[in-house]
Amino acid sequence: MREAWIIDAARTPRGIGRAEKGALSLVHPQRILSTVLKALGDRNGLNTDDIDDVIIGCFAQVGGQGGCIARLAALDAGWGNQPPGFTVNRYCGSGLTAVNQAAMGIWSGAQHLVIGGGIEQMSSTPAVSQPTLFDCGNSRLRALHAQTHQGICADLIASMESVSRQELDTFAYHSQQRAAAAIEVGAFVRSMVPVYHNDGSLALDRDEYNRPDTTIERLAGLKPAFEGLLDIELDANGLTYRQLLERDYKGVEVHHVHHGGNSSGIVDGAGAVVLASPEYARAHGLKPRARIRAIATAGGSPELMLDAPVAAACKALKSAGMAIDDIDLFEVNEAFAVVPILFMRALGIDHAKVNVAGGSIALGHPIGATGAILVGTLLDELERRDLSTGLVTLCTGGGMAPAVIIERI
């Protein structure tokens, strides 16, 4: 089988995703992404005319993120006319899907140098966090699959699987502590590139969302975030999430246990990964940091929405001919604390191997970018700890999950 090598990975800092409040909210999203692309090109001496494709994940492809942001950001990076680009949407898994698509292009032999990454400026797309139905108004689909709100799904799954508020808050506390420790020792320095305004002034050079002073007591005092969504009228017929839950999960008592402190943060950010074929890398003096061992995508329950990462991980492991114990570190996106908790429970994984530098609860989740960012975070941690293999996976809207296994070279 052909190999796909990871040459490098980079990301921006994650800025608070609130208009006028976050440091990246006034930077054009094309510019946020082009900052990462330019940094990767410059520090690896890439001949950008050789780039076969720039594949970028983005969920909210509207406004400044509209058009084909992959191509537009490549142009903004000063890469000339040659590198083409296309944009993909797999909700929260968009960035990792882009990286996996890049690997597939190289595996096929049709491509030799591909960029996979993601971007999300959540401060400019407030509709992303609104309590809208995932069926986009398709009543026929709704009759088949009642796709509610992800936060309600998180509470529903926690209730069905007997995951307590205390367990969720404890996990969230550890995410904050691990992120703070990683920042303290400079664990993100290699991958992070600062973002500047058009006038050359600094926009952001550090992660902005994390709260290192978080305590268990403070988390315990936060009110549940999603209970108030149950009775919001979602259409002209007065449909509510409570009605949908009563239809499909009659008799299940939902305990509302997720809140802003044990759920992922709303942030702006971008990340990207350079992948190359061994032949191209050797011919052009590019030193690989890792190889892609396997990729996978799995579908799960659209109604529960957050339960596919286990299936995706198992699918990737089977493809690689590996067992769960062969993986040294895991990055499981912390969309909600219940997701990595159940991932660890289902596969018998010690928390010491999962999200060792913190996760989206502490650092934020720029939806389309997170998967690509996590690949870089995982690679940095494998190198920092002198370990070999790692796995990344994320739950996504619609009940899906992509996954990738990487191995250091």
Side-chain angles (χ1 to χ4, degrees), residues 125-382:
T125 54
V128 169
S129 59
Q130 297 303 305
T132 53
L133 284 161
F134 266 78
D135 58 38
C136 298
N138 183 350
S139 58
R140 182 181 183 280
L141 175 59
R142 190 178 308 149
L144 296 171
H145 298 287
Q147 300 173 79
T148 60
H149 184 279
Q150 284 187 306
I152 293 174
C153 290
D155 286 343
L156 174 62
I157 292 171
S159 301
M160 294 171 64
E161 299 294 336
S162 299
V163 181
S164 69
R165 165 75 182 260
Q166 182 178 10
E167 189 174 0
L168 298 168
D169 285 353
T170 299
F171 182 92
Y173 170 74
H174 287 305
S175 181
Q176 293 283 359
Q177 292 298 299
R178 290 178 175 191
I183 291 169
E184 179 69 23
V185 299
F188 302 136
V189 169
R190 178 171 185 174
S191 288
M192 194 183 303
V193 294
V195 179
Y196 294 88
H197 294 290
N198 289 342
D199 64 4
S201 62
L202 179 68
L204 189 65
D205 63 356
R206 60 177 179 80
D207 286 316
E208 190 178 34
Y209 181 81
N210 52 299
R211 298 177 175 86
D213 58 348
T214 296
T215 64
I216 291 288
E217 291 74 23
R218 287 184 183 178
L219 291 170
L222 296 176
K223 294 181 179 180
F226 306 109
E227 184 175 10
L229 301 180
L230 286 177
D231 295 310
I232 290 177
E233 293 188 0
L234 299 162
D235 63 17
N237 297 318
L239 178 71
T240 66
Y241 284 133
R242 188 183 302 277
Q243 292 171 343
L244 293 175
L245 289 177
E246 289 175 349
R247 187 192 85 181
D248 289 348
Y249 295 96
K250 191 175 182 63
V252 175
E253 183 180 358
V254 179
H255 303 284
H256 294 283
V257 288
H258 285 90
H259 50 75
N262 60 28
S263 306
S264 57
I266 296 172
V267 295
D268 303 331
V273 181
V274 180
L275 294 101
S277 67
E279 298 81 7
Y280 182 89
R282 293 188 185 108
H284 294 83
L286 299 177
K287 184 179 179 181
R289 295 175 64 188
R291 61 171 59 86
I292 304 287
R293 280 291 303 267
I295 64 173
T297 309
S301 165
E303 293 84 0
L304 295 177
M305 208 175 298
L306 312 175
D307 66 344
V310 171
C314 291
K315 197 173 180 180
L317 288 166
K318 182 177 181 181
S319 177
M322 301 173 75
I324 199 73
D325 291 339
D326 295 326
I327 304 298
D328 296 313
L329 294 177
F330 297 83
E331 286 291 330
V332 183
N333 187 40
E334 298 171 1
F336 303 93
V338 73
V339 177
I341 287 173
L342 290 182
F343 185 90
M344 292 186 290
R345 183 188 293 183
L347 297 176
I349 304 169
D350 193 295
H351 192 189
K353 298 173 71 172
V354 179
N355 302 356
V356 293
S360 290
I361 288 172
L363 297 165
H365 173 25
I367 298 177
T370 301
I373 290 173
L374 293 184
V375 172
T377 299
L378 176 62
L379 181 53
D380 286 345
E381 284 300 318
L382 289 172

Side-chain angles (χ1 to χ4, degrees), residues 90 296-300 308-313 315 394 396 399-403:
R90 200 193 298 277
T297 309
V310 171
K315 197 173 180 180
L394 309 87
T396 87
M400 302 178 286

